[in-house]
Amino acid sequence: MASLKRRQFGQLAAASLTSTVVAGLSTQAVAQKADTKEKILYAVNLLSASNTQNRENQTPGVELNTADLVTGRILSKVNRLSLAVENPLAVTKNPRAFFLNDYSRITKAIVLKNGTLVISTVSSTKNGYFNHLLFTIGSATIPVFGGRKVLGFKRANQTVESLLSLPNNQLLCLVGTEGVPPFSFRTLDFTTGRVFARDELALPSLPPTHRFSNLCQDLKGNIFATEIGSEGFPCLISMNLQEKALITGNIKIKRLTPLTFEGRPLSYDLQDLTFSSDGQLYALAADSNRKNTAVYTVDVKSGKMGLLRNFAAEKFAFL
């Protein structure tokens, strides 16, 4: 009887997703996932939007895959259609007279310590920009989804461009202006989606003409990201929330090294950057033909990138 109830519950949960699930994971695949957890990836892609979608109070639809990094094999696939947010409160709007088409994009995917996957998205409309957090609950292969709208921005053109998990259900965000500089650091409450009005971390100011993206954190708590200045080449930067400048009292940013591939500086930004559980830094970026995306290893000290394999994703994160 207990077995029957578990099957019925699984069927009901899958149906409630309004999703397409590619099932049939073999026992061998499940065992492989347990043995090589650090090599199993979430791959996140955007789904086509419906013309009737409410881009303010509904999250964009996403395709969520789990894949084996070593073989590239897809282990599971879920399509999560547009989802109503649980906090549909009013945000600042700014109607634009000259506007072509609504669109949405994924800006980051992270996994919290409790296993929750959080996906940040930005939707552009004639009334301004709307930022959302889409998150999973439960199994990586058949998750239940929830959605929240980001609240508290004073301007309608502020966009969440990257995320990082902090203690106490807080998220560190890189915030852009319509997706471009100037950028700034902000923190928000994951449980409410609201941006904190005060900066209690002494976050550093960022050069107003530089592009920043791809937040991630290593096993020692060091935070990494990419920065692109006037020369147009992405450079690794790092900071630690415990290391502050003596004069300003703000957290110090260290500029490490430009990213290179096959002996040449990278001439375009990464799509994503993340650490695996064994401490290896991986990048998601265009392949050599600039037609597809691929996963690369990244040497933190030298900035050298090594091609691992083609990998179809807009954002990625390790389980």
Side-chain angles (χ1 to χ4, degrees):
M1 180 64 70
S3 178
L4 177 61
K5 288 181 178 179
R6 283 197 297 269
R7 284 200 304 271
Q8 290 173 336
F9 176 80
Q11 291 168 353
L12 290 172
S16 69
L17 293 176
T18 319
S19 306
T20 301
V21 180
V22 177
L25 289 180
S26 66
T27 303
Q28 181 180 1
V30 174
Q32 180 187 25
K33 177 181 174 181
D35 292 340
T36 60
K37 184 177 179 180
E38 74 277 2
K39 296 180 182 178
I40 305 300
L41 287 172
Y42 282 116
V44 186
N45 290 291
L46 196 68
L47 292 175
S48 298
S50 166
N51 292 331
T52 61
Q53 179 182 334
N54 179 341
R55 293 182 187 266
E56 177 178 356
N57 290 319
Q58 290 182 320
T59 66
V62 299
E63 175 191 85
L64 176 61
N65 298 335
T66 60
D68 186 318
L69 176 62
V70 176
T71 65
R73 185 164 61 94
I74 300 297
L75 303 177
S76 68
K77 180 178 179 180
V78 177
N79 285 356
R80 169 67 258 185
L81 304 183
S82 182
L83 176 71
V85 299
E86 60 186 41
N87 58 343
L89 302 176
V91 296
T92 303
K93 298 181 179 65
N94 182 24
R96 294 178 282 178
F98 300 99
F99 182 75
L100 297 177
N101 295 307
D102 293 350
Y103 68 87
S104 299
R105 56 191 175 88
I106 301 169
T107 59
K108 187 63 179 179
I110 62 172
V111 177
L112 307 184
K113 288 186 177 180
N114 64 3
T116 298
L117 173 70
V118 182
I119 303 166
S120 61
T121 67
V122 174
S123 293
S124 174
T125 77
K126 64 181 179 181
N127 289 319
Y129 291 81
F130 301 104
N131 301 274
H132 299 102
L133 301 175
L134 182 64
F135 53 93
T136 65
I137 304 169
S139 167
T141 56
I142 309 180
V144 177
F145 289 80
R148 298 187 182 113
K149 182 163 61 173
V150 177
L151 308 170
F153 283 135
K154 295 182 179 180
R155 299 193 303 274
N157 62 352
Q158 292 183 284
T159 53
V160 175
E161 297 298 323
S162 196
L163 288 179
L164 187 75
S165 176
L166 295 175
N168 302 318
N169 286 318
Q170 295 183 21
L171 299 175
L172 176 65
C173 304
L174 268 172
V175 176
T177 306
E178 301 183 13
V180 297
F183 284 84
S184 62
F185 282 116
R186 300 292 298 274
T187 54
L188 66 84
D189 185 344
F190 173 60
T191 58
T192 64
R194 185 169 293 279
V195 176
F196 289 106
R198 296 181 59 185
D199 171 22
E200 298 182 354
L201 298 178
L203 294 166
S205 299
L206 300 175
T209 60
H210 289 201
R211 173 175 174 77
F212 294 84
S213 56
N214 304 309
L215 284 173
C216 60
Q217 191 169 32
D218 69 10
L219 302 179
K220 297 180 180 179
N222 299 306
I223 296 171
F224 292 80
T226 56
E227 176 183 6
I228 298 180
S230 57
E231 72 285 351
F233 302 125
C235 173
L236 276 182
I237 63 172
S238 73
M239 63 182 191
N240 190 297
L241 298 181
Q242 308 306 317
E243 298 179 2
K244 298 180 180 180
L246 294 176
I247 298 178
T248 65
N250 291 335
I251 295 169
K252 295 187 295 184
I253 292 182
K254 301 175 184 177
R255 286 167 177 82
L256 302 180
T257 182
L259 294 172
T260 61
F261 179 63
E262 295 183 340
R264 299 178 181 178
L266 208 65
S267 59
Y268 48 87
D269 199 5
L270 307 177
Q271 286 190 215
D272 209 353
L273 194 65
T274 190
F275 281 92
S276 64
S277 61
D278 63 357
Q280 174 62 54
L281 182 58
Y282 290 91
L284 183 70
D287 64 9
S288 57
N289 296 321
R290 303 291 297 273
K291 294 182 179 180
N292 301 297
T293 53
V295 175
Y296 298 80
T297 58
V298 181
D299 185 289
V300 173
K301 294 182 179 180
S302 67
K304 292 181 180 179
M305 297 171 53
L307 177 63
L308 190 60
R309 65 168 48 258
N310 277 23
F311 191 74
E314 295 176 44
K315 299 293 177 182
F316 72 153
F318 284 94
L319 269 69

